[in-house]
């Protein structure tokens, strides 16, 4: 998402740096890139294709559908079967692939919060595209346990993508439930999103363990549950390297430090 322009609209300020971020990620062994046709719109998928095609066989390209962009930067819902089919086709065309590794059905309540209704119709449309071979795995996004169970009653899901971070932990029960089922949990806004995490206590703990506060926030997520996969956004190679360093920070967090973070 951060590889597009201001407001997630238009091209990046530095296209060469954006392309270099993607190449650096691949060279560093990153094998999961989260994208969407409505980032830009289309800008990010075009950039991924131009920078990384032909893709490594190990690379999992994961997109999301369920919204569209308006010229003024809005994100209106686009969850009719026809809109979802078109969105998947657009992603395939822009990324220059015949089948995408995973597609998340992104839903939202009327107020923009977690979706609480039935997802049977839109999810069923994606299941049909999966049967046609256009999608390998399915996921759901911005949902609760009821919607996960409903999706599972229709077809297996590989991942759930919801908002979750050190300061926003409403999904604790859901994460543990998914872990028991072997389903990946992919927190979006792992560093707070448009309102980055800020905490004097987090800063203090980070300084003590020799990490940046954002590295520590990512490290906490990695230690929170083995089914968590991280997708922190970035637009520079320096920040990408900082994010990747969170894995080393996670490996050295002791029980007392984790308990301190849990209490924040």
């Amino acid at each position: 998402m951060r590889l597009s322009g201001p407001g997630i609209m238009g091209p990046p300020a530095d296209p060469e740096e954006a392309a270099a971020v993607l190449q650096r990620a691949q060279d560093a062994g990153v094998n999961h890139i989260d994208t969407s046709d409505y980032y830009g719109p289309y800008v990010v998928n075009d950039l991924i294709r131009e920078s990384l095609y032909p893709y490594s066989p190990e690379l999992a390209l994961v997109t999301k559908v369920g919204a569209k962009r308006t010229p003024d930067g809005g994100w209106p819902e686009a969850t009719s079967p026809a809109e979802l089919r078109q969105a998947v086709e657009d992603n395939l065309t822009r990324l220059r692939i015949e089948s995408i590794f995973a597609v998340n059905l992104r839903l939202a309540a009327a107020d923009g919060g977690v979706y609480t209704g039935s997802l049977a119709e839109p999810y069923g449309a994606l299941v049909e595209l999966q049967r046609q071979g256009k999608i390998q795995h399915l996921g759901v996004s911005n949902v609760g346990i009821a919607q996960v169970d409903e999706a599972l009653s229709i077809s297996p899901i590989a991942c759930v993508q919801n908002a979750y971070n050190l300061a926003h932990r409403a999904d604790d029960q859901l994460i543990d439930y998914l872990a028991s089922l072997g389903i990946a949990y992919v927190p979006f806004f792992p560093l707070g999103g448009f309102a980055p995490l800020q905490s004097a206590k987090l800063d203090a703990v980070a300084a003590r363990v020799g990490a940046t506060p954002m590295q520590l926030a990512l490290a906490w997520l990695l230690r929170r549950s083995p089914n968590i996969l991280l997708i922190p956004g970035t637009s520079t190679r320096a920040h990408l390297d900082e994010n990747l360093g969170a894995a080393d920070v996670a490996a050295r967090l002791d029980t007392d430090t984790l308990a301190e973070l849990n209490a924040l």
Side-chain angles (χ1 to χ4, degrees):
M1 183 170 73
R2 297 295 184 181
L3 294 179
S4 53
I8 323 303
M9 293 289 287
D14 188 342
E16 290 186 3
E17 178 66 12
V21 166
L22 288 165
Q23 190 61 59
R24 173 77 66 85
Q26 179 173 263
D27 292 345
V30 171
N31 61 2
H32 171 201
I33 294 180
D34 178 80
T35 185
S36 177
D37 241 7
Y38 51 74
Y39 294 161
Y42 307 122
V43 168
V44 172
N45 277 352
D46 286 346
L47 185 63
I48 290 171
R49 182 192 69 248
E50 292 163 2
S51 303
L52 300 181
Y53 185 88
Y55 306 112
S56 163
E58 287 77 35
L59 178 62
L61 286 171
V62 180
T63 192
K64 60 186 68 61
V65 295
K68 57 187 176 184
R69 302 305 300 279
T70 57
D72 63 355
W75 307 74
E77 176 185 301
T79 57
S80 72
E83 289 172 317
L84 294 173
R85 287 192 294 269
Q86 186 61 55
V88 171
E89 292 290 352
D90 287 346
N91 275 274
L92 293 174
T93 299
R94 294 278 176 177
L95 293 169
R96 199 176 174 184
I97 52 179
E98 295 182 357
S99 178
I100 193 159
F101 184 81
V103 173
N104 285 298
L105 173 62
R106 178 79 159 89
L107 299 166
D111 62 0
V114 173
Y115 185 77
T116 58
S118 171
L119 51 66
E121 182 179 45
Y123 190 69
L126 295 182
V127 170
E128 179 56 35
L129 291 171
Q130 184 184 39
R131 289 172 180 154
Q132 295 172 18
K134 297 179 183 295
I135 302 170
Q136 297 173 46
H137 303 282
L138 296 174
V140 289
S141 176
N142 206 40
V143 297
I145 289 178
Q147 288 68 43
V148 169
D149 285 341
E150 183 182 25
L152 287 171
S153 73
I154 300 169
S155 180
I157 61 176
C159 53
V160 174
Q161 192 177 108
N162 278 12
Y164 185 83
N165 55 54
L166 190 58
H168 181 94
R169 307 184 194 179
D171 269 0
D172 276 335
Q173 183 182 1
L174 176 59
I175 290 171
D176 295 339
Y177 179 56
L178 294 173
S180 73
L181 298 174
I183 296 172
Y185 182 86
V186 186
F188 66 77
F189 293 161
L191 297 176
F194 298 113
L197 297 173
Q198 292 184 340
S199 165
K201 291 183 178 179
L202 178 64
D203 293 349
V205 177
R208 195 178 73 233
V209 301
T212 69
M214 296 299 98
Q215 281 181 321
L216 186 58
L218 293 175
W220 177 81
L221 286 167
L222 290 172
R223 293 291 295 272
R224 168 61 181 82
S225 182
N227 65 323
I228 286 183
L229 302 178
L230 293 186
I231 52 168
T234 189
S235 59
T236 68
R237 284 169 286 181
H239 188 223
L240 171 67
D241 291 343
E242 178 184 332
N243 286 342
L244 293 175
D248 291 332
V249 177
R252 63 175 190 262
L253 292 181
D254 59 31
T255 302
D256 290 343
T257 303
L258 286 171
E260 195 173 357
L261 293 171
N262 290 335
L264 290 179

